[in-house]
């Protein structure tokens, strides 16, 4: 589903990704772990098309398409979803309006009919319940005044509504207490399916106790330096990242 | 001096030509008022940017050096072209004025309840001249009283010009405790006079006696792409315990000019809710003066200006707290695109007598292009203690990270921008109390957004 080949990225004149290779097939969950500053978030931004994060060389194939040639909205419509590490607050826009606009933009692009207000509400309520979110979330302004945990749950709510084929979860566990972590992880696990792939970016192994990955990759200084099974995460938790850092 | 003096001479000459044909020419008080006004205008000249209150608007850019005063000609305006401006749902009391002259054939005043006078200026001058004499007189010797101690007539030159030339408009009077169940909608259309762009001077008077309640909606438009200049003056007097909701849409033709002045007097315990949306005219200036003359007045004054292309929109407001316990709320929001310029000058003065006043003012501007420009000049003049006053002013653009967040959810760039612009100003519209008026402005705003380039 996703093939990253020799991806290089320079951000603000500094090389961040220095030849990333990664392949994910449908149905799998991959974790990318690494020390701070190793390029984890940059990888997420390059994949989702954020301004200022371009590939300087290399390519990314998504279902055979050249992903990097698409605009951010085209990527989203093609089934790519990024759960933000720092979800953005949008004053003045109710969550329901935001969600419905997004869902319908994606549906239209897929040649499906737009969801009516009623149908949308029905679906949103069901997903809210699964994520143990109060219905008032729909009326609140997007992420405004949300706690860290509420923001992360709101990301997973969007993911559940948009039903992406490839989800990139950027530090989704940061800022969560253990209860919130379980709820968010449950929400993510519920979305695991044979047709869907996930790329879980995290610094800590903690999240991977709940979302058990098929593969774990270590990203250090802009390269995947080691790949393995889920047991690699446990090893990293014990040893830390020191051995992957040239500075150490 | 040079150029502007010459221009004002043109107006004086025109006045001499038509003074005996103006409505109410036989009324001595009005005759005196008009000649006094044209003299004052001649003394002042057209306001220019050296006049502090007009620093953002250059009238010489818009005013025809040989202005053609509008006459009561038919001008080929039809109902079909007005329908898009009608309030829905009806009923309401609708009066249509072309080049300031009342057009009963285009109007639908409906059934007027007892205690409501709704008529044209010409009719009112014939039937109730004392009403006009009392209220027009108020503005006669008004000058800009600055804290520097210097009173200046110059900012009021266009009001004087309106007084000199006003030939039509609506006169509305509500007796004690009269309450209207539908809005009064005044549509002022300015168009050509013969082949030339016309200059019109519509004059509106609204008087709500004690305990009365009315919603007044003024729509200012042009005819197709014809250039024109509308110099409008609206006076509103809200009696004790009365309530007036006053809406205005400045939607003049793209090449038109709009100079609007509103003068609002509020008696004790009254309520005034004012709202102006500007999206029309090449150059416009909208001036609103509100005087909280009695105790315990509740006043809101909100505005939205939507400018693009080469439009210039100037908003000038002054709120005078003159008695204790008055409350005023003012929110002006501008969305400025292209090479347009939006400006806001808002003065709030709390007089020594006006203890325990509560005044808040906010001006926010959203710039959508690198060439767009916003000017904001809030002024608080507080001449007593024991008051609560606050003001704020911001200029910003659409946040790149927010746009990316929306786009990463599949929302296209234009839709994402529109969603954020709507979030910026939409709530001001959606909070309007009158449903038909809210719908009118909502449709207008959606249409404006859909025309974005």
């Amino acid at each position: 589903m996703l093939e990253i080949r020799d991806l290089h990225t320079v951000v603000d004149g500094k090389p961040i990704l220095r030849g990333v290779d990664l392949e994910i097939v449908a149905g799998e969950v991959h974790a990318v772990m690494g020390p701070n500053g190793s390029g984890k978030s940059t990888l997420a931004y390059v994949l989702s098309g954020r301004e200022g994060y371009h590939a300087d060389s290399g390519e990314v194939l998504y279902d055979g398409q050249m992903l990097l040639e698409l605009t951010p909205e085209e990527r989203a419509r093609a089934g790519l979803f990024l759960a933000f590490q720092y979800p953005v607050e949008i004053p003045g826009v109710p969550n329901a309006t935001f969600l419905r606009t997004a869902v319908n933009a994606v549906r239209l692009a897929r040649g499906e009919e737009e969801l009516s207000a009623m149908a949308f509400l029905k679906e949103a309520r069901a997903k809210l319940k699964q994520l143990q979110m109060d219905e008032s979330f729909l009326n609140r302004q997007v992420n405004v005044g949300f706690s860290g945990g509420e923001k992360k749950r709101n990301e997973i709510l969007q993911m559940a509504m948009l039903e992406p084929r490839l989800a990139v979860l950027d530090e989704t566990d940061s800022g969560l207490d253990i209860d919130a972590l379980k709820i968010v992880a449950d929400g993510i696990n519920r979305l695991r399916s044979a047709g869907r792939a996930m790329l879980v970016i995290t610094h800590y192994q903690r999240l991977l106790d709940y979302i058990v990955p098929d593969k774990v990759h270590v990203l250090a200084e802009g390269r995947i330096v080691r790949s393995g099974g889920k047991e690699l995460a446990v090893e990293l938790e014990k040893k830390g990242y020191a051995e992957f850092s040239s500075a150490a | 001096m040079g150029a502007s003096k010459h221009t004002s001479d043109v107006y004086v000459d025109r006045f001499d030509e038509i003074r005996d044909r103006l409505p109410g020419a036989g009324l001595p008080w009005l005759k005196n008022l008009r000649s006094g006004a044209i003299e004052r205008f001649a003394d002042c000249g057209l306001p220019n940017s050296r006049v502090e209150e007009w620093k953002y608007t250059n009238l010489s850019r818009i005013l025809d050096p040989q202005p053609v005063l509008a006459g009561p000609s038919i001008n080929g305006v039809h109902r079909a072209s007005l329908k898009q401006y009608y309030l829905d749902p009806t009923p309401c009391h609708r009066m249509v004025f072309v080049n300031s002259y009342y057009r009963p054939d285009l109007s639908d005043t409906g059934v007027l309840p007892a205690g409501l006078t709704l008529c044209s200026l010409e009719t009112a001058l014939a039937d109730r001249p004392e009403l006009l004499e009392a209220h027009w007189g108020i503005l006669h010797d008004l000058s800009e009283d600055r804290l520097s101690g210097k009173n200046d007539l110059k900012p009021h030159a266009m009001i004087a010009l309106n007084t000199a030339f006003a030939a039509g408009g609506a006169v509305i009077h509500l007796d004690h405790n009269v309450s209207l169940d539908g809005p009064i909608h005044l549509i002022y259309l300015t168009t050509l006079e013969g082949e030339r762009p016309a200059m019109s001077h519509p004059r509106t008077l609204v008087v709500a006696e004690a305990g009365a309640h009315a919603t007044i909606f003024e729509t200012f438009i042009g005819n197709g792409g014809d250039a024109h200049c509308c110099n409008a003056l609206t006076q509103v007097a809200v009696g004790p315990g009365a309530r007036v909701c006053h809406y205005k849409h400045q939607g003049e033709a793209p090449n038109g000019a709009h100079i609007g002045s509103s003068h609002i007097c509020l008696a004790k315990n009254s309520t005034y809710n004012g709202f102006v949306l500007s999206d029309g005219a090449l150059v416009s200036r909208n001036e609103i003066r509100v005087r909280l003359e009695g105790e315990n007045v509740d006043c809101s004054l909100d505005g939205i200006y939507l400018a693009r292309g080469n439009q210039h929109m100037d908003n000038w407001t002054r709120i005078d707290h003159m008695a204790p316990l008055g409350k005023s709320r003012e929110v002006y929001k501008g969305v400025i695109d292209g090479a347009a310029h939006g400006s806001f000058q808002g003065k709030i003065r709390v007089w020594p007598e006006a203890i325990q006043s509560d005044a808040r003012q906010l001006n926010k501007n959203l710039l959508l292009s690198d060439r767009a420009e916003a000017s904001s000049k809030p002024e608080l003049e507080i001449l007593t203690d024991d008051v609560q006053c606050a003001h704020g002013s911001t200029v910003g653009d659409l946040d790149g990270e927010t746009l990316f967040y929306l786009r990463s959810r599949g929302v296209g760039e234009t839709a994402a921008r529109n969603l954020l612009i709507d979030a910026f100003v939409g709530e001001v519209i959606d909070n309007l109390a009158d449903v038909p008026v809210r719908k009118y402005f909502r449709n207008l705003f959606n249409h404006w957004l859909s025309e974005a380039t």
Side-chain angles (χ1 to χ4, degrees):
Chain A
M1 177 179 284
L2 183 74
E3 263 185 84
I4 303 174
R5 292 179 191 153
D6 195 28
L7 183 64
H8 289 255
T9 296
V10 176
V11 179
D12 292 334
K14 242 177 86 182
I16 304 292
L17 299 182
R18 303 192 294 181
V20 174
D21 292 284
L22 187 65
E23 189 174 347
I24 308 178
V25 300
E28 286 187 347
V29 173
H30 288 218
V32 170
M33 301 184 70
N36 290 330
S38 59
K40 301 191 299 293
S41 286
T42 298
L43 178 62
Y45 289 145
V46 173
L47 291 178
S48 56
R50 187 186 179 115
E51 208 174 318
Y53 293 82
H54 306 290
D56 292 279
S57 65
E59 60 183 15
V60 179
L61 288 173
Y62 169 72
D63 278 344
Q65 285 182 89
M66 303 291 275
L67 183 73
L68 303 180
E69 289 174 4
L70 306 178
T71 63
E73 56 268 35
E74 285 167 344
R75 298 178 200 199
R77 291 166 190 171
L80 177 74
F81 181 87
L82 169 66
F84 280 54
Q85 182 180 2
Y86 303 107
V88 179
E89 299 184 4
I90 317 181
V93 177
N95 224 3
T97 306
F98 169 62
L99 273 173
R100 203 176 148 214
T101 307
V103 167
N104 282 336
V106 170
R107 287 180 70 98
L108 277 179
R110 286 184 194 150
E112 297 169 19
E113 264 186 54
E114 290 192 32
L115 277 186
S116 70
M118 283 309 293
F120 166 78
L121 208 58
K122 200 176 157 205
E123 205 173 321
R125 280 179 179 147
K127 311 276 188 201
L128 281 164
K129 210 171 162 189
Q130 290 175 350
L131 288 162
Q132 301 182 30
M133 292 167 82
D134 193 86
E135 232 180 275
S136 63
F137 264 89
L138 292 177
N139 303 324
R140 292 167 67 182
Q141 301 174 49
V142 179
N143 294 326
V144 177
F146 283 29
S147 70
E150 286 176 333
K151 283 182 181 170
K152 293 300 171 78
R153 270 189 274 175
N154 206 30
E155 293 294 289
I156 306 308
L157 172 68
Q158 292 163 42
M159 178 164 120
M161 293 295 294
L162 292 170
E163 301 180 331
R165 299 201 56 231
L166 172 66
V168 179
L169 306 164
D170 187 10
E171 305 276 5
T172 294
D173 53 332
S174 67
L176 293 185
D177 63 30
I178 194 71
D179 293 328
L181 182 69
K182 279 181 187 163
I183 295 167
V184 166
D186 281 350
I188 294 167
N189 283 329
R190 209 173 284 119
L191 292 166
R192 290 178 83 148
S193 75
R196 181 173 291 140
M198 293 189 191
L199 184 62
V200 179
I201 291 171
T202 182
H203 183 81
Y204 299 105
Q205 178 252 350
R206 189 176 71 147
L207 178 66
L208 305 181
D209 289 341
Y210 300 94
I211 304 168
V212 180
D214 298 297
K215 280 195 181 135
V216 175
H217 310 275
V218 180
L219 184 68
E221 295 178 344
R223 284 190 198 93
I224 302 283
V225 291
R226 200 170 149 195
S227 297
K230 60 188 175 199
E231 63 287 346
L232 178 56
V234 182
E235 187 189 326
L236 286 169
E237 185 71 6
K238 284 194 193 126
K239 293 190 185 167
Y241 295 108
E243 68 172 285
F244 304 110
S245 168
S246 59
Chain B
M1 293 299 280
S4 75
K5 197 70 191 168
H6 282 296
T7 313
S8 57
D9 286 347
V10 174
Y11 289 94
V12 175
D13 293 345
R14 290 274 184 279
F15 182 75
D16 285 335
E17 284 166 30
I18 64 160
R19 60 195 307 164
D20 296 329
R21 299 196 303 269
L22 286 165
L27 297 166
W29 66 266
L30 185 55
K31 208 174 168 180
N32 290 338
L33 208 64
R34 289 198 198 268
S35 8
I38 198 71
E39 277 169 32
R40 279 155 49 100
F41 176 76
D43 287 346
C44 296
L46 288 168
N48 57 37
S49 53
R50 287 194 299 276
V51 179
E52 181 61 21
E53 289 75 10
W54 288 76
K55 64 184 284 185
Y56 295 122
T57 298
N58 185 357
L59 278 185
S60 65
R61 180 180 154 199
I62 48 168
L63 288 190
D64 195 324
Q66 296 293 323
V68 179
L69 287 167
S73 49
I74 296 304
N75 310 86
V77 178
H78 305 286
R79 272 176 183 263
S81 59
L82 297 169
K83 280 210 169 100
Q84 59 174 310
Y85 298 102
Y86 288 1
L87 288 172
D88 175 48
T90 45
C92 70
H93 311 285
R94 183 169 50 244
M95 295 178 89
V96 176
F97 301 81
V98 175
N99 287 350
S100 88
Y101 292 88
Y102 180 45
R103 289 285 296 272
D105 57 313
L106 300 174
S107 302
D108 300 281
T109 50
V111 180
L112 303 185
L116 169 67
T117 301
L118 176 67
C119 66
S120 67
L121 174 63
E122 303 92 307
T123 303
L125 283 170
D127 295 351
R128 302 188 68 170
E130 72 291 344
L131 183 68
L132 291 159
E133 186 176 0
H135 289 278
W136 282 35
I138 294 172
L139 297 188
H140 180 56
D141 48 10
L142 212 62
S143 63
E144 195 63 28
D145 53 329
R146 303 205 186 101
L147 281 188
S148 61
K150 184 174 163 258
N151 282 9
D152 194 349
L153 292 168
K154 280 187 181 140
H156 295 255
M158 297 310 286
I159 293 175
L161 197 65
N162 179 287
T163 298
F165 287 109
V171 175
I172 298 162
H173 181 267
L174 290 102
D175 278 341
H176 294 240
N177 297 323
V178 170
S179 184
L180 302 183
D181 47 10
I184 293 174
H185 191 189
L186 309 172
I187 299 179
Y188 288 104
L189 184 146
T190 306
T191 180
L192 303 177
E193 178 69 27
E195 303 282 298
R196 295 276 309 276
M199 183 172 192
S200 75
H201 301 273
R203 178 91 173 207
T204 307
L205 175 63
V206 179
V207 181
E209 300 289 358
H213 178 196
T215 296
I216 313 292
F217 187 9
E218 299 178 279
T219 294
F220 291 88
I221 50 172
N223 197 24
D226 293 340
H228 61 261
C229 177
C230 178
N231 175 38
L233 174 53
T234 299
Q235 265 182 283
V236 181
V238 186
R243 177 174 178 206
V244 170
C245 296
H246 183 198
Y247 303 98
K248 173 173 173 175
H249 170 209
Q250 187 280 97
E252 307 276 11
N255 291 319
H258 182 88
I259 304 153
S261 310
S262 295
H263 196 270
I264 321 291
C265 291
L266 306 175
K268 66 177 180 187
N269 300 323
S270 66
T271 304
Y272 175 80
N273 300 118
F275 173 76
V276 182
L277 186 145
S278 300
D279 70 335
L282 185 60
V283 175
S284 64
R285 183 178 184 277
N286 202 49
E287 167 180 313
I288 304 176
R289 297 166 183 275
V290 185
R291 294 156 64 92
L292 285 67
E293 294 178 341
E295 287 187 19
N296 197 35
V297 168
D298 191 346
C299 161
S300 67
L301 199 62
D302 297 328
I304 291 177
Y305 41 107
L306 308 171
R308 58 164 59 118
N310 289 311
Q311 283 181 305
H312 170 89
M313 290 182 188
D314 186 5
N315 303 277
W316 191 94
T317 70
R318 173 167 169 173
I319 299 174
D320 280 89
H321 281 260
M322 307 169 80
L325 297 164
K327 179 178 151 187
S328 67
R329 293 285 179 270
E330 183 176 23
V331 177
Y332 265 73
K333 288 189 175 181
V335 181
I336 306 158
D337 201 353
H341 181 202
S343 62
F344 173 82
Q345 279 195 85
K347 182 185 283 189
I348 295 175
R349 181 181 293 177
V350 181
W351 290 78
E353 302 81 0
I355 51 167
Q356 293 179 43
S357 289
D358 178 0
R360 272 158 222 215
Q361 180 194 75
L362 180 64
N363 174 230
K364 293 176 89 167
N365 295 281
L366 180 62
L367 302 181
L368 298 181
S369 100
D370 294 342
R371 292 173 303 151
E373 192 186 338
S375 312
S376 185
K377 185 167 169 257
E379 290 174 275
L380 289 184
E381 297 176 347
I382 300 169
L383 310 180
T384 180
D385 301 327
D386 192 18
V387 294
Q388 290 189 53
C389 289
H391 67 90
S393 165
T394 63
V395 179
D397 52 14
L398 292 176
D399 180 55
E401 196 172 335
T402 312
L403 278 173
F404 171 64
Y405 191 52
L406 286 162
R407 294 176 71 191
S408 78
R409 299 306 182 242
V411 182
E413 195 171 2
T414 304
R417 283 166 65 92
N418 287 352
L419 193 67
L420 296 181
I421 298 166
D422 200 331
F424 180 72
V425 294
E427 67 172 348
V428 182
I429 294 171
D430 296 335
N431 287 335
L432 294 174
D434 291 85
V435 177
V437 174
R438 194 193 310 153
K439 267 176 78 174
Y440 177 103
F441 284 119
R442 185 26 93 175
N443 289 340
L444 194 80
F445 178 60
N446 290 349
H447 181 69
W448 188 85
L449 274 183
S450 73
E451 286 185 321
T453 46

